[in-house]
Amino acid sequence: MEKAREQWENPLQFLLACISYSVGLGNVWRFPYLCQMYGGGSFLVPYLIMLVVEGMPLLYLELAVGQRMRQGSIGTWRTISPYLGGVGVASMVVAFLTATYYNTINAWSFWYLFNSFQEPLPWSVCPLNENLTGYQEECEKASSTQYFWYRKTLNISPSIQDSGAVQWEPALCLILAWMMVFLCTLRGTETVGKVAYFTALLPYCVLIIYLVRGLTLHGATNGLMYMFTPKVEQLANPKTWINAATQIFFSLGLGFGSLIAFASYNEPSNNCQKHTIIVSLVNSASSIFASVVTFSIYGFKATFNYENCLNKVILLLINSFDLEDGTVTASNLEQVKDYLASTYPSKYSEVLPHMQNCSLESELDTAVQGTGLAFIIYTEAIKNMEVSQLWSVLYFFMLLTLGVGSMLGNTAAILTPLTDSKVISSYLPKEVISGLLCFVNCAISLLFTIEAGSYWFDIFNDYVATLSLLLIVLVETVAVCYVYGLRRFGAELEAMTGCALNWYWKALWAFVSPLLIVGLFFFYLTDYILSGTLQYQAWDATQGRLVTKDYPTYVLAVIGLLVASSIICIPLTALGTFVMRRLRRGGSASVA
Amino acid sequence: MLWLFFFLVTVIHAELCQPDAENAFKVRLSIRTALGDKAYVWDTNEEYLFRAMVAFSMRKVPNRETTEISHVLLCNVTQRVSFWFVVTDPSKNHTLPADEVQSAIRMNRNRINNVFFLNDQTLEFLKIPSTLAPPTDPSIPIWIIIFGVIFCIVIVATTLLILSGIRQRRRKNKGSSEVDDIEEKLESMGTLANSVPCDSLDMKGGHINDIFMTEDERLTPL
């Protein structure tokens, strides 16, 4: 008797699982950066166009394919064509490599979350040096938040060659993060569905609280106005459109096999067209919502730093010229400076080199993305708020739920093909497979807790998923439209769900989206080739800032291996299937 | 003659306390920054209080218990508010060495700050570094405690889920084996009027309807 495939308890769980998977850390730390760099408010135009033209069709394709075939990624693509099982294998490899490094972010979020329960927050003050007369030198040169991130959290080494030892604090947090993932994926959709309520909805609660708090902060409007003022000339820059397309593509999490896995647990009559539109719109709305919060925080931080800078200049002036304390304020600073320059020219010229030029625009212009934004900039803003412990706990809790939600999707992408395979599931129960996977992943990801771990993290983050996913999704689209047949698929979909396949989706699947992906693919390739040798940012403890260095050759080889390992699965599996069929046909021919 | 002597004394005094004189320290106060609206005006009475505090600090040093307020000299008071001070010995001819004054001020810095409602940043003694308060390190870092709590909760939840899964599977296995037992019992009992499991229909008991026979043959054998 065939065991019935497990299903979501209700369609809402499926929807929330998809939302919690696609709304991840990229919405919080990549979209605001892109918005700021590529024209502020006017970036929304290419973003929304790409959403409709590229994001929604590809998302619908994956959900429909998964729901129709009712198997994980490998089984699905093998059903479409026996030679295309490699697409599923490639998806699994990419998902595996991504899961390895992605959970490190959750480990860091745990570390910061646990450290938020102290007064004062450990990243708000610099630790003292040996004779207690001043602060640690590295902390003085950088800032206390940077010191806490680079020294206390990562204990980063000066370059990628100095590997260093495993740091036990992040390692403990990493083990906890993997245990959390194991706990959530233990029973398959039963547990994932329930956890999805939490991981999908909690980030929005926190974002709303932060929105209210952020908008009421002093100087928030500076940030909002500066970031959202549209710079329409950026629309002519091709990089704007390319980045919009890339952001939509990676933000939705296409090509990993997670969406196929989630949709395979659906009832066949589920209306996945409606769900596609909901998920993609919610994802984009979350990005915009998160960037409003981020920009108000930026504005607060920039205004705070600007006022600090002014206060330092004022202090310098009244100390040098013995003016009465309190007479020089931010409003009359310029007049006082002119007066002093005219009255005491020699002394003023002595003081002038020490006076910093304070500018609100230059503070606002510092655009940061990635871990720097989440762990340095935000913590810097949080430490200046009242009741900073509460805001810190809320913020890192939100980062955790965002990260865990995406991790669940990733793990589902790897687990579903494994549990679908009759060979493996006959020997091992589902729980043991999950446990083994989490254990293996945990062991490998301890690599990211060594002193040079953050550099390896950046390598994985930049190279593992980019080219491979583009190729995978391209092959997927071509496979469904041309190998399986668009008309046949449309008819099956209509029979299954009851709603006909719109001409709009057909046109996009067959022509527009593949062309877009090919364009993106070529852009990335040319970018890599033209930029010559690849470089990275290393932390220099003596100077207290980041410096650019070149990757050594063995690291370049590893990067090439990472990219190739997933792409090569597609032709290899096709070749393997071809050879096996030849052998079987030859064998049966000799028997007959 | 007396005037000359007086003049000499003030000149010597003036020479003892000068900006950048030997053993002289500069002090800078930022009263408005620290207290805002509640700021007091710096006048000669406040200066007297300051000299008293410095004298008090010096009296705590061994061998200097006889320091008087008149031994502390202030000069060059500016609007900022900043001034220089020196501490002289009882003969009022020499100033006390800078190291002694520095260590005395450092020992009593907190009390001097509190008298004026200021802190280390708003009452600055230039060239006297302030001793920063060492951070209170608890014996066990707080983060480990919270980590331990969450870790235990996760382990307990995981074990519960695994155990309940095993129990469910065992119950399902037992359930399916129970169904098999019932079927065997029914077979051995022979015919029954109602509630016969379908599997036993093609057994010895009961009559076989010929019409359905042909339908059976149409079905592919297992």
Side-chain angles (χ1 to χ4, degrees):
Chain A
M1 193 175 63
E2 193 61 43
K3 196 173 73 165
R5 190 177 181 78
E6 54 178 333
Q7 283 188 346
W8 301 105
E9 276 175 34
N10 51 46
L12 184 64
Q13 282 191 1
F14 164 66
L15 195 63
L16 288 179
C18 285
I19 289 179
S20 90
Y21 166 66
S22 57
V23 175
L25 294 165
N27 300 62
V28 171
W29 74 29
R30 176 108 176 120
F31 181 77
Y33 169 77
L34 288 177
C35 210
Q36 190 184 343
M37 294 291 289
Y38 293 109
S42 59
F43 183 72
L44 290 177
V45 170
Y47 187 69
L48 290 173
I49 292 179
M50 286 299 168
L51 171 69
V52 173
V53 164
E54 181 201 1
M56 281 197 207
L58 292 174
L59 181 66
Y60 188 28
L61 181 74
E62 289 220 354
L63 289 181
V65 161
Q67 193 171 304
R68 167 74 186 86
M69 304 300 173
R70 312 199 77 216
Q71 295 177 71
S73 51
I74 298 185
T76 300
W77 298 110
R78 208 183 292 154
T79 316
I80 295 230
S81 157
Y83 296 105
L84 282 180
V87 175
V89 178
S91 290
M92 250 182 84
V93 171
V94 173
F96 180 76
L97 291 173
T98 308
T100 314
Y101 83 82
Y102 201 83
N103 222 8
T104 322
I105 307 176
N106 289 336
W108 291 331
S109 303
F110 267 123
W111 163 256
Y112 268 84
L113 178 68
F114 297 150
N115 271 303
S116 307
F117 289 95
Q118 301 177 35
E119 165 66 34
L121 288 172
W123 53 82
S124 57
V125 286
C126 274
L128 305 176
N129 57 16
E130 275 90 42
N131 44 5
L132 297 183
T133 49
Y135 299 115
Q136 287 256 5
E137 204 185 310
E138 190 181 350
C139 198
E140 286 266 356
K141 293 227 174 72
S143 65
S144 54
T145 45
Q146 282 181 313
Y147 178 78
F148 188 76
W149 170 243
Y150 286 112
R151 191 53 47 213
K152 285 293 169 68
T153 311
L154 300 173
N155 198 11
I156 205 164
S157 59
S159 73
I160 199 169
Q161 288 100 315
D162 311 315
S163 300
V166 170
Q167 304 298 307
W168 65 272
E169 294 107 338
L172 276 183
C173 296
L174 187 65
I175 294 176
L176 177 64
W178 275 110
M179 291 200 54
M180 193 72 98
V181 169
F182 176 51
L183 174 66
C184 296
T185 53
L186 188 52
R187 296 271 211 87
T189 50
E190 205 183 310
T191 39
V192 171
K194 294 200 178 54
V195 173
Y197 282 115
F198 190 63
T199 55
L201 297 175
L202 189 98
Y204 291 109
C205 298
V206 176
L207 274 176
I208 292 177
I209 298 175
Y210 255 92
L211 183 73
V212 173
R213 173 77 264 230
L215 288 177
T216 53
L217 282 172
H218 166 65
T221 36
N222 291 342
L224 282 173
M225 277 193 318
Y226 186 73
M227 310 296 184
F228 275 124
T229 343
K231 304 176 188 71
V232 192
E233 63 275 5
Q234 285 285 350
L235 282 178
N237 183 3
K239 279 210 161 194
T240 311
W241 295 86
I242 291 174
N243 274 306
T246 324
Q247 173 64 12
I248 286 279
F249 187 87
F250 293 120
S251 171
L252 285 171
L254 304 162
F256 283 98
S258 318
L259 294 162
I260 297 181
F262 279 158
S264 70
Y265 297 118
N266 264 340
E267 271 179 43
S269 56
N270 183 38
N271 184 358
C272 51
Q273 180 176 282
K274 184 174 71 164
H275 286 158
T276 308
I277 299 182
I278 296 178
V279 171
S280 47
L281 283 180
V282 167
N283 184 39
S284 298
S286 314
S287 292
I288 300 175
F289 186 35
S291 59
V292 170
V293 176
T294 307
F295 291 154
S296 46
I297 303 272
Y298 266 161
F300 165 69
K301 181 185 94 70
T303 313
F304 189 84
N305 286 345
Y306 172 65
E307 287 178 357
N308 258 4
C309 177
L310 281 181
N311 282 338
K312 280 207 201 98
V313 172
I314 291 175
L315 195 67
L316 180 67
L317 281 178
I318 57 178
N319 282 347
S320 320
F321 292 98
D322 281 325
L323 305 166
E324 189 178 337
D325 177 33
T327 46
V328 186
T329 59
S331 39
N332 61 8
L333 181 61
E334 290 302 315
Q335 295 142 306
V336 170
K337 274 167 53 175
D338 295 332
Y339 167 73
L340 288 172
S342 50
T343 336
Y344 309 100
S346 54
K347 198 162 182 196
Y348 189 75
S349 52
E350 272 174 44
V351 174
L352 195 58
H354 301 287
M355 274 197 329
Q356 287 171 301
N357 235 343
C358 297
S359 152
L360 187 59
E361 271 80 36
S362 65
E363 293 281 343
L364 286 169
D365 257 336
T366 51
V368 192
Q369 57 164 333
T371 48
L373 169 60
F375 294 108
I376 300 180
I377 305 285
Y378 256 94
T379 47
E380 199 178 316
I382 287 174
K383 80 174 199 254
N384 296 325
M385 298 186 194
E386 287 103 49
V387 202
S388 38
Q389 280 81 9
L390 170 68
W391 299 110
S392 181
V393 167
L394 272 180
Y395 172 66
F396 288 111
F397 216 56
M398 175 185 79
L399 281 192
L400 255 179
T401 42
L402 285 173
V404 168
S406 305
M407 270 305 292
L408 293 184
N410 250 324
T411 332
I414 313 171
L415 277 178
T416 312
L418 287 177
T419 48
D420 283 346
S421 136
K422 301 205 176 33
V423 174
I424 300 181
S425 58
S426 57
Y427 283 123
L428 301 167
K430 191 166 39 166
E431 288 90 342
V432 177
I433 301 180
S434 312
L436 273 179
L437 179 71
C438 291
F439 181 73
V440 168
N441 256 326
C442 185
I444 298 179
S445 55
L446 282 176
L447 161 74
F448 299 110
T449 56
I450 63 175
E451 287 181 23
S454 169
Y455 302 129
W456 287 104
F457 175 85
D458 285 330
I459 289 179
F460 270 69
N461 195 18
D462 290 336
Y463 300 110
V464 146
T466 37
L467 275 178
S468 329
L469 283 182
L470 286 170
L471 192 65
I472 290 174
V473 175
L474 179 66
V475 175
E476 283 182 5
T477 327
V478 166
V480 169
C481 292
Y482 299 108
V483 175
Y484 194 72
L486 187 56
R487 206 162 296 168
R488 176 176 164 200
F489 188 64
E492 285 180 3
L493 209 58
E494 188 175 348
M496 193 174 68
T497 62
C499 53
L501 195 59
N502 211 338
W503 63 267
Y504 175 73
W505 300 117
K506 286 192 190 156
L508 285 176
W509 284 355
F511 304 115
V512 182
S513 303
L515 283 176
L516 261 176
I517 301 175
V518 170
L520 281 181
F521 194 71
F522 274 123
F523 160 72
Y524 266 103
L525 271 182
T526 45
D527 204 43
Y528 284 154
I529 297 172
L530 283 179
S531 64
T533 171
L534 298 169
Q535 297 180 315
Y536 69 106
Q537 303 277 76
W539 176 254
D540 189 340
T542 50
Q543 292 182 47
R545 59 185 192 85
L546 292 166
V547 293
T548 321
K549 290 196 177 160
D550 288 331
Y551 280 128
T553 7
Y554 77 90
V555 171
L556 292 174
V558 170
I559 295 178
L561 200 69
L562 280 176
V563 177
S565 62
S566 47
I567 295 184
I568 210 153
C569 292
I570 306 181
L572 265 185
T573 322
L575 195 65
T577 324
F578 181 66
V579 166
M580 294 270 282
R581 284 200 153 188
R582 261 299 185 75
L583 286 175
R584 213 178 299 148
R585 213 175 299 156
S588 61
S590 61
V591 163
Chain B
M1 194 60 180
L2 213 60
W3 290 111
L4 196 65
F5 182 69
F6 211 64
F7 180 63
L8 267 172
V9 165
T10 34
V11 164
I12 292 170
H13 270 204
E15 276 175 8
L16 283 176
C17 175
Q18 264 189 14
D20 297 322
E22 197 187 346
N23 302 330
F25 290 95
K26 183 167 182 184
V27 181
R28 198 151 58 196
L29 288 91
S30 311
I31 309 174
R32 188 84 47 91
T33 316
L35 301 170
D37 291 332
K38 301 198 198 72
Y40 48 82
V41 180
W42 186 261
D43 52 13
T44 42
N45 295 329
E46 305 282 345
E47 286 178 26
Y48 191 83
L49 180 57
F50 183 80
R51 290 162 65 206
M53 289 307 295
V54 175
F56 162 75
S57 311
M58 289 311 298
R59 288 178 93 132
K60 295 229 162 161
V61 177
N63 289 337
R64 299 286 175 209
E65 285 90 347
T66 51
T67 317
E68 297 289 332
I69 296 183
S70 49
H71 297 158
V72 182
L73 306 172
L74 263 62
C75 49
N76 276 62
V77 184
T78 64
Q79 274 227 312
R80 166 64 182 82
V81 172
S82 68
F83 49 84
W84 291 80
F85 77 92
V86 284
V87 187
T88 60
D89 63 353
S91 67
K92 302 213 181 147
N93 284 335
H94 320 283
T95 50
L96 295 184
D99 304 332
E100 282 189 31
V101 180
Q102 182 168 333
S103 64
I105 301 279
R106 280 188 90 174
M107 297 283 221
N108 300 289
R109 189 68 187 268
N110 219 17
R111 295 191 72 169
I112 303 178
N113 285 347
N114 283 337
V115 160
F116 293 100
F117 305 126
L118 300 171
N119 59 27
D120 280 355
Q121 278 77 43
T122 39
L123 170 54
E124 296 170 78
F125 287 84
L126 303 180
K127 285 192 288 172
I128 302 185
S130 47
T131 315
L132 298 165
T136 46
D137 270 330
S139 50
I140 309 175
I142 298 184
W143 76 270
I144 287 199
I145 301 175
I146 305 179
F147 169 81
V149 168
I150 307 266
F151 196 72
C152 291
I153 294 179
V154 169
I155 288 193
V156 166
T158 315
T159 332
L160 282 177
L161 267 184
I162 294 181
L163 285 178
S164 75
I166 295 179
R167 208 178 303 145
Q168 249 182 23
R169 200 167 298 133
R170 212 175 289 159
R171 211 181 300 144
K172 212 192 310 171
N173 281 343
K174 213 190 317 166
S176 60
S177 67
E178 276 180 13
V179 169
D180 287 335
D181 285 340
I182 293 179
E183 284 181 8
E184 282 178 24
K185 235 195 295 175
L186 285 173
E187 280 174 31
S188 59
M189 277 203 294
T191 42
L192 280 174
N194 285 322
S195 56
V196 175
C198 299
D199 292 347
S200 64
L201 268 180
D202 52 359
M203 290 298 153
K204 301 86 183 176
H207 299 284
I208 297 176
N209 194 331
D210 288 324
I211 296 178
F212 289 128
M213 200 50 171
T214 48
E215 283 210 23
D216 267 335
E217 282 171 359
R218 256 205 288 137
L219 294 171
T220 46
L222 284 169

